Structure formats: C-alpha cells, structure tokens
Amino acid sequence: MITKKLFQSATGCTIICMLFILNSSKAQVDLNKLKTVDLGEIHGNFQGNAQYYIPDSTIGANEVPERMLFNGFANILYTKGKFTAGLRYENYLNALQGYPTGFKGTGIMYRFITYKADILEITAGSFYEQFGNGLILRTYEERNLGLDNSFDGVRIKAEPTKGMYIKGFIGKQRSFFTQGPGIVRGIDGELQINQLFPSLADKKLIFGIGGSFVSKFQEDEDPTLILPENVGSQAIRFNLSRNNFSLNGEYAYKINDPSLDNNFIYKSGNAALIQAVYATKGFALSVAGSRIENMSFRSDRNAQLTNLLLNYIPALNKQHTYSLLTFYPYASQSRGEMEFSTELKYKFKKGSALGGAYGTEVLINYSGSNSLDTTNISPELDNRKKGYTSEYFLIGNQVYFRDFYVELNKKFSKKWKASFIYSYQEYNKDVIQKPGGGMIFSHIGVVDVTYKMNKGALRLEAQNLATRQDKQDWAFLLLEYTVSTNWYIAVGDQYNYGNIHENERYHYYNLSTGYIKDANRIELSYGKQREGIFCVGGVCRNVPASNGVTLTITSSF
C-alpha cells in the first residue's frame, strides 16, 4: 500500500515535472520567437521634491502642520511604430509652500495616445499646444511655478505637402485636478514658401507666413451682466531670413472679453511683437519690441493668477539666473504695456589687446517696459463700458521696468576663468506686485570666478545689490566645490546688511550637496529662503519665507 502510494506520488510528480518541462520548452520557443518581434520602447522620467520645514519667526517662516511636504511626478512614454502613448502620475501630499493651493492630492491628469501616418497626426487625450509666438495660444508646463494648463481633447496635425502645415484642436483646459468650464477650439496654418515651391529652395531669402484662430465658449451665468459666451481671437505672423539676418513678427486681435482681469470692461484686445537679429562670427545684435493691450485670455473669465491661461505674453527683458539679479523680476502686464529690448554680443579675437590668449566676450543688454498712453472714459459717458481709450503708437509716461545689463566673460588661463556683471534696474513695485511698494532703483554687481583643478573645480560667486528703497542693500556669497564629475558641495549666504532696521538684518544661509550619475541626480540641502517673487519667462508666483531640509531626486530612463 505504501509502495503503491509512493509509485502514484512518483508518477504524479513525473507527469507534473514532464508537463512543466514541456511547457518550459514551449515557453522558451515562444520567447525565442519574441526576440524578433518589435515590442516597442518605454521611456520616462521621475522627480521628487521633499522639504522638512522648521519654523523660524525671525524671517517669517511659519510652522507647517505636516512638517514635511512633497511634490512628485513620474512620466511614462511608450512608442511602437506609428503609435505613441503616455501618462503622468502626480503626487502633492501636500504641495510645497508657495505652490497654488489647488495642487493637493494625487492622480493622473495627463494621458494621451497619438497615431501618426502619412500626412496626418492624431492625438486623443492630453496635449500642449502653441500657435506662433503664443500671443493667442500657448499651453505648457512650468513645474517650478506650479503652472500646467494642458488641454484634454482631440488634436489633428496635417502636412498636405512639403512646406504646408495645418493643425486644429478642441478641448478643455486642466485646472489642478479637474477641468475649467470653458470649451476651447483652435486652428493654425503655416506656409514655408521656400519649401512649398521647389524653384525657391536654393534661394538665400527664406520666407514664411502663418495665421491662427482660437475661440472659447463659456456660459453666461451672471444675473446682472450680459457676457459674450463665444470669444474669438486671431493672429497673423511672418518670418524672414537672409544669410545672417532674420526678422519675425506677429499681430493678434481679440474681441471684447469681459473678465476679472480687466474689471469686466467690453473692450477688444490686441498685441504686436517684432524681433530682428543679425549674427555673424564673434558678433550678434538683436532688437525686439512689443505692444500689449487688454490681452488677458483665459478659458474661464473668473480665473486668477496663473490658472487657465490660454495665451502667453513674452517678456522681452533679459532672463537672469543669478539670485540678486532676479530679486526684482519683471512680470508681463497683459492689461497693457509697451516693451522693448536690444542686445549686443561681441567677442574680441584671441591675440588682440582686449582678447588676450583666449578671447574676451562682452554682452550689453538694455530692456524696459512702459504703460500705454491711455485716457479713462468717465462712467457717465461710457455707455459701451470700454473703460478707456488709447493712442496706439504713443508710449505712456509710467515706467514699469528698466534693466541696463553689461556682462564680460574672460578666460585667463587653462585653469582660471571669470564673469563680471553690472546691472542697473528700475522696478515699479506698485504695478508689478502690489500698491504701496513704490519705484525701486538698484545697482547689482556680480563676480563669478572658477578655478579648474586636476580633479574637480572650485567656483566663487559674489553678488551685491545696492538700493535706498524697499529693504535696501543685500549681499550674496557662494562657494561651490565640484569634487568630481559626480559629486559637488556648495555653501552660500544671502544677507540683508543694509536694512535700516538692524534687528531685521537676516542671514539666509544654505548648504547643499549633490550626486550626479548618468541621468540620475540627488541633491540634499539645508537653509533659509527669503519671501519674494519667483518668475520664469515673465510669469511669476509668490514664494513664502521658509527654513528647513530639502531633498530632490530626478531620474530618466
């Protein structure tokens, strides 16, 4: 009996083992076959920002109930042949201080699938889009600002023939973890003349034209006002280049669009932008100008700050990276402004008196913005509720911003190089931030010196901001040591040494270290952050004072 059971067990085990081997062999065969099959590719990236907050009443860093806040996301992208699909998972538990309060929780708010074949490309789901320079349409993500105004809908792109490009879409905009109430529709076309006509392909003069139309629909739910439910905007543009010279411009027009941004006036809006560049070896000159009037454009007339923006007003001023140069950042004024910018870059040749052994590069930039020349209409005469009139080609008397900037970059030897910067700025805090700030005049100087060692490098950054307004003079000192291609450590201090209130002369110190390998980066820092305005490309947000430990991890695959 025992022998029979053992035999039955052994037989069963043998059968099971044989079946397993056969299945494994079959699986191996199938696996070998799969090796020749294109399964597509998966790519993506991850970022996580965590901060542990430590209260500090001296700088106004209030206690955070959770103590630790976290922002994180992961993008996954799959491609196979003509198909592309992707999604982004986001986590705000809870969002870092200074981010819009609507970012709270977790979810997948960005997901799409795209099919591209022959002359068509079709996307269903989430997407970003820009027409021309963005005067009537630009949706994009700027994670540092907490801005994401992507569309959820359908987009079609077509290239009927070489040199002709057409795209159109319909959708709703993302509003944190939901969608805005407005429906947005748009179409854009572009003709690159030299590509369109083969006889012009070899010509030195390259010319292109384009046009766009965007409209939004939002129901009128106001019991007192008669608000337009359909608001249309249109734009035309051109680009021209020959040899070392290029010129491009765009003009946009928007019908009356009463909103919270313009105090619900029934006045049309318009915008014009022109840019010219001449560049050759060792020399470049650019000039740009714009006029913006009543061009706030959102898919929700009641939205504020950076939420549900449809268009983008380019800031023509120089975009700075050094901390004290960004102390008073300029934000584009969609209600109305006249802005200009000119920049000259020249490199003195090697071996010349000013060029030295390695050459010397000089950059000069001057930019600014003024109000429009407007006249308010008295309420009793303003039957159409247009608010004001304006002279198109006249510049208003009110200065919004000025920046005169000079930068000199010099390499002294194989081991030593340095940058020297001076900037004079005028900043109308009443207009750009809030009433009561007044006009601020400041002088900023920066010296950035790098010494390259056999292994790694040492960099010293010294900055000074001098002003008699606001909190007066500031200084910043940073020492950064790059241990190797993988490791670095930095220590810095921003000090309000000129504050007339001696008990408010605070040090904002910071210590950070990081490790970089391939597409992976880990950074750990500890220190204080002053309260202020943080801007990217003329779009800004308020950043509260903070103190604590921050961990940032990024990775791509």
Side-chain angles (χ1 to χ4, degrees):
M1 192 71 175
I2 296 175
T3 304
K4 185 177 180 181
K5 286 183 178 180
L6 287 172
F7 176 79
Q8 289 176 342
S9 300
T11 303
C13 179
T14 302
I15 294 173
I16 292 172
C17 290
M18 288 179 64
L19 288 173
F20 178 79
I21 293 171
L22 288 173
N23 286 335
S24 298
S25 300
K26 184 174 183 298
Q28 184 64 44
V29 172
D30 291 342
L31 184 61
N32 290 332
K33 289 181 179 180
L34 286 175
K35 289 181 180 179
T36 62
V37 178
D38 180 12
L39 298 178
E41 296 182 357
I42 297 178
H43 298 282
N45 65 305
F46 163 84
Q47 179 175 320
N49 297 326
Q51 183 167 356
Y52 180 82
Y53 291 86
I54 302 172
D56 188 339
S57 59
T58 60
I59 64 171
N62 298 322
E63 184 174 356
V64 176
E66 304 96 317
R67 284 298 176 95
M68 193 191 82
L69 301 177
F70 181 82
N71 292 1
F73 72 90
N75 284 305
I76 304 296
L77 185 68
Y78 172 75
T79 58
K80 185 180 186 302
K82 299 176 181 180
F83 284 93
T84 302
L87 60 84
R88 180 170 65 239
Y89 169 80
E90 300 177 26
N91 184 306
Y92 303 94
L93 293 174
N94 281 329
L96 300 179
Q97 284 194 315
Y99 269 69
T101 56
F103 285 113
K104 189 173 183 178
T106 66
I108 298 175
M109 285 300 295
Y110 192 88
R111 68 282 181 276
F112 73 94
I113 183 168
T114 296
Y115 175 75
K116 185 176 183 179
D118 300 324
I119 65 170
L120 285 179
E121 177 183 304
I122 302 171
T123 298
S126 307
F127 56 89
Y128 299 100
E129 188 55 76
Q130 177 173 335
F131 291 170
N133 292 288
L135 294 180
I136 64 172
L137 182 76
R138 184 192 180 193
T139 57
Y140 64 107
E141 178 194 21
E142 180 50 66
R143 188 159 297 278
N144 290 327
L145 291 176
L147 190 157
D148 188 341
N149 55 359
S150 61
F151 285 116
D152 188 59
V154 175
R155 178 184 62 189
I156 300 175
K157 295 183 178 181
E159 187 179 349
T161 185
K162 189 175 181 179
M164 179 183 292
Y165 308 93
I166 303 170
K167 53 187 174 182
F169 73 92
I170 185 169
K172 285 191 169 188
Q173 277 188 290
R174 173 180 179 175
S175 179
F176 306 116
F177 282 102
T178 181
Q179 293 179 345
I183 300 174
V184 186
R185 302 147 294 193
I187 186 169
D188 178 81
E190 185 171 292
L191 298 176
Q192 291 299 327
I193 306 302
N194 298 69
Q195 297 178 23
L196 196 60
F197 299 100
S199 60
L200 301 177
D202 297 328
K203 300 297 181 181
K204 292 183 179 180
L205 181 65
I206 300 173
F207 182 64
I209 56 174
S212 311
F213 179 80
V214 176
S215 72
K216 66 166 184 177
F217 171 79
Q218 183 182 5
E219 292 184 0
D220 178 13
E221 299 177 346
D222 193 290
T224 58
L225 299 174
I226 300 176
L227 301 173
E229 295 188 325
N230 289 280
V231 175
S233 62
Q234 52 197 320
I236 56 173
R237 63 183 184 272
F238 75 91
N239 63 275
L240 175 71
S241 65
R242 179 182 171 87
N243 296 330
N244 301 321
F245 176 78
S246 64
L247 177 69
N248 73 83
E250 184 170 3
Y251 176 79
Y253 174 83
K254 178 173 67 75
I255 70 168
N256 68 93
D257 181 19
S259 69
L260 197 63
D261 284 335
N262 63 12
N263 293 322
F264 290 93
I265 62 173
Y266 292 74
K267 183 177 179 62
S268 60
N270 61 83
L273 172 67
I274 189 163
Q275 299 172 308
V277 178
Y278 177 79
T280 187
K281 185 178 180 180
F283 176 84
L285 175 66
S286 65
V287 180
S290 66
R291 184 187 189 276
I292 310 298
E293 181 176 5
N294 194 29
M295 274 303 289
S296 171
F297 197 21
R298 304 176 188 260
S299 58
D300 180 4
R301 63 176 71 93
N302 297 305
Q304 299 181 63
L305 301 176
T306 59
N307 196 27
L308 294 170
L309 288 169
L310 277 173
N311 65 337
Y312 172 75
I313 307 301
L316 302 183
N317 61 295
K318 184 168 181 59
Q319 302 302 301
H320 299 299
T321 54
Y322 291 99
S323 59
L324 294 188
L325 285 169
T326 62
F327 209 91
Y328 299 110
Y330 183 67
S332 302
Q333 302 299 302
S334 60
R335 285 193 179 186
E337 66 175 7
M338 295 276 273
E339 192 173 357
F340 66 91
S341 175
T342 182
E343 183 170 288
L344 171 66
K345 182 184 289 187
Y346 184 78
K347 186 172 184 178
F348 293 95
K349 294 181 180 179
K350 297 179 182 179
S352 64
L354 296 176
Y358 297 92
T360 302
E361 186 179 85
V362 177
L363 185 148
I364 302 173
N365 181 283
Y366 183 53
S367 59
S369 177
N370 272 52
S371 63
L372 301 180
D373 188 293
T374 61
T375 302
N376 292 330
I377 305 174
S378 59
E380 60 271 14
L381 299 177
D382 194 8
N383 298 323
R384 298 184 179 181
K385 296 183 179 179
K386 292 193 173 183
Y388 65 92
T389 60
S390 65
E391 294 291 337
Y392 193 86
F393 293 102
L394 295 182
I395 301 176
N397 295 323
Q398 189 176 24
V399 173
Y400 290 166
F401 183 75
R402 290 285 188 275
D403 184 5
F404 175 69
Y405 176 91
V406 180
E407 178 180 342
L408 187 147
N409 296 301
K410 177 70 176 175
K411 185 176 180 180
F412 298 95
S413 67
K414 292 182 179 180
K415 293 188 174 183
W416 288 95
K417 67 177 181 178
S419 296
F420 305 92
I421 296 171
Y422 167 76
S423 175
Y424 168 72
Q425 295 182 2
E426 298 179 9
Y427 184 85
N428 194 328
K429 198 170 183 178
D430 285 335
V431 174
I432 303 170
Q433 294 190 25
K434 59 183 178 180
M439 182 67 77
I440 298 170
F441 305 90
S442 61
H443 300 267
I444 305 107
V446 179
V447 177
D448 188 341
V449 181
T450 300
Y451 174 69
K452 186 177 180 181
M453 297 177 287
N454 293 332
K455 290 185 178 180
L458 189 66
R459 187 172 73 91
L460 175 66
E461 184 182 308
Q463 304 177 41
N464 188 77
L465 184 151
T467 179
R468 295 182 179 180
Q469 294 80 41
D470 203 22
K471 295 183 179 181
Q472 302 195 348
D473 304 334
W474 289 77
F476 177 77
L477 190 66
L478 173 73
L479 185 63
E480 181 181 80
Y481 176 44
T482 303
V483 183
S484 65
T485 56
N486 301 114
W487 285 96
Y488 70 90
I489 185 170
V491 58
D493 182 23
Q494 190 173 109
Y495 179 43
N496 188 197
Y497 71 91
N499 198 316
I500 58 174
H501 305 289
E502 293 188 10
N503 60 335
E504 296 180 6
R505 295 179 180 177
Y506 304 131
H507 286 272
Y508 295 85
Y509 51 82
N510 188 278
L511 174 66
S512 62
T513 183
Y515 177 76
I516 304 170
K517 184 174 176 58
D518 300 325
N520 305 297
R521 179 188 180 101
I522 302 174
E523 182 178 83
L524 181 66
S525 64
Y526 169 73
K528 302 181 180 184
Q529 169 67 49
R530 68 172 180 84
E531 180 184 12
I533 301 292
F534 177 71
C535 297
V536 177
V539 181
C540 306
R541 69 176 174 91
N542 287 305
V543 177
S546 65
N547 176 38
V549 180
T550 302
L551 175 66
T552 301
I553 301 174
T554 60
S555 180
S556 300
F557 59 90

